[in-house]
Amino acid sequence: MRNIPMNNGICENYEQKQGLILVIFFTNISPTECNTHFPSKIQHMYTVSPITKTMHTRTCQLITRQILPFQRASTPHRHHHLLPPPSASVSATAPLKARKTHSLPAEKQEIFKLMEPWASEWVLPLLKPVDQCWQPQTFLPDSSLPFEEFSDQVKALRERTKELADEYFVVLVGDMVTEDALPTYQTMINNLDGVKDDCGTSPSPWAVWTRAWTAEENRHGDLLRTYLYLSGRVDMAKVEKTVHYLIGAGMDPGTENNPYLGFVYTSFQERATFVAHGNTARLAKEGGDPVLARLCGTIAADEKRHENAYSRIVEKLLEVDPTGAMMAIGDMMEKKITMPAHLMYDGEDPRLFEHYSAVAQRMGVYTADDYADILEFLVGRWRLEKIEGLTGEGKRAQDYVCALAPRIRKLQERADERARKMKKPHSVKFSWIFNKELVL
Ligand SMILES: [Fe+2]
Ligand SMILES: [Fe+2]
């Protein structure tokens, strides 16, 4: 039986076997109780029902004997997520490292204190005053109207969405579920040393940003959820269950409580969501729903503004601490950027995230190419090739990051070619669309 490092009750290990991603997590066992990893076949047993230490140990032994013999005799490792989209088997990275926490030394945390006046001047203005912000109601049928009129607006919404494909709804639900797990993302940002909100109402510009960013983000899930509900095209009970599971599962972006890593991660992620929502907007327009197109486009514009804020922070870090910032970018890219909803589960499909991502890839909403494009965009935006004054380590990170996008593309091409030769199309049922099957 192998020991796996534990953190916060999540037994963190990913194994890949014959293309199957095995996610192992426990939400109800204490870290000291769980030292064993499990294959996905049983993972959800543990997430849905209480488990005693004895049961847990016995099952560990059973599984170790019966199911685990295929596992590699490697050292324990942290999550290895497949994104860019799980259909992509790109691996342009060095072996994964053991998980670290609080990796930013105290003296470097001071940098963020010193940057506070800068953040007030350059980051906070990227928030929109509440009274200039759109709200979900801007795009939704008005329930304050007399019932007939309200009902006509709902009918019109259903008329507009009726030609959109089931695939489109799978992607839109996946996007909505991702947005709806917002508590996890606020928690992640508030776990970053030096920028966290110490008391819940901290006047530090970092904390002011995080709270207001959360409030802006909160509208995204609300709007998409209500629109999906009114469309009648998706099984809301299954969608809600997925959100419930996902918030309970959390995420591990590999940011080590380190704001350097955290802001590289959020810069990348905000751009990824900008790209994805922009593409769902385009597809809605092509599919005959201009209102849905407008609302997805409006969400995308928020993401772009957020991306701008986080990218500015990294830009500033590159100015005040070029080597530290460059190494943080190298570190995150080496780990690969994990998608925030990678632990999604609907109670039925243990490979739900992989399947949703495959549909997103096929629809062109978020693809392996997008991953490389985002990296390339950020390398350009941060002018990484031109950064000077780096130490040897910093230069190595610079070389690595600046050469990575073409490398990812090349590996992706080869992986696609292999997949084309080997993979037979297969269909998967999605509970979100009433168990209809989609060919992947
Ligand atoms: Fe969002
Ligand atoms: Fe965002």
Side-chain angles (χ1 to χ4, degrees), residues 179 217 220 303:
E179 293 285 353
E217 285 286 341
H220 301 173
E303 310 294 15

Side-chain angles (χ1 to χ4, degrees), residues 104-118:
L104 191 70
E107 64 273 15
K108 286 218 175 179
Q109 287 173 35
E110 272 303 299
I111 290 176
F112 291 89
K113 186 85 200 140
L114 296 171
M115 277 169 65
E116 282 188 355
W118 174 87

